[in-house]
Amino acid sequence: MGSFKSAFIVLLVLTVVISVTVQIGEAKRMLPEEKSLPASDLQGSKLVVKFCPDGCWDLCFATTCGCVCPHPPKP
């Protein structure tokens, strides 16, 4: 029973090491691809929702947002 337990631990450690090695390899492979993307491609994927009047900006905390205006908005 002791050898079965040792074999299981060795197999588990080997599986973890292989998994981590593959993840590191994938991360290194993807890094040059991300660096080669132009900044406009990265910014174009953001969803922009504007609900504040001009001259004001959004202020969000957790799930609640509000408008911050330096001067009261015109009706």
Side-chain angles (χ1 to χ4, degrees), residues 24-36:
I24 290 172
E26 285 292 313
K28 285 182 180 179
R29 182 185 63 82
M30 291 182 70
L31 188 60
E33 293 174 7
E34 290 178 6
K35 286 183 179 178
S36 67

Side-chain angles (χ1 to χ4, degrees), residues 4-52:
F4 178 73
K5 194 179 212 180
S6 299
F8 178 75
I9 291 173
V10 168
L11 184 62
L12 185 65
V13 169
L14 186 62
T15 303
V16 170
V17 168
I18 290 173
S19 175
V20 169
T21 304
V22 168
Q23 288 178 359
I24 290 172
E26 285 292 313
K28 285 182 180 179
R29 182 185 63 82
M30 291 182 70
L31 188 60
E33 293 174 7
E34 290 178 6
K35 286 183 179 178
S36 67
L37 288 175
S40 61
D41 286 349
L42 296 174
Q43 291 175 353
S45 65
K46 293 181 181 176
L47 177 65
V48 177
V49 177
K50 183 172 177 149
F51 64 92
C52 291

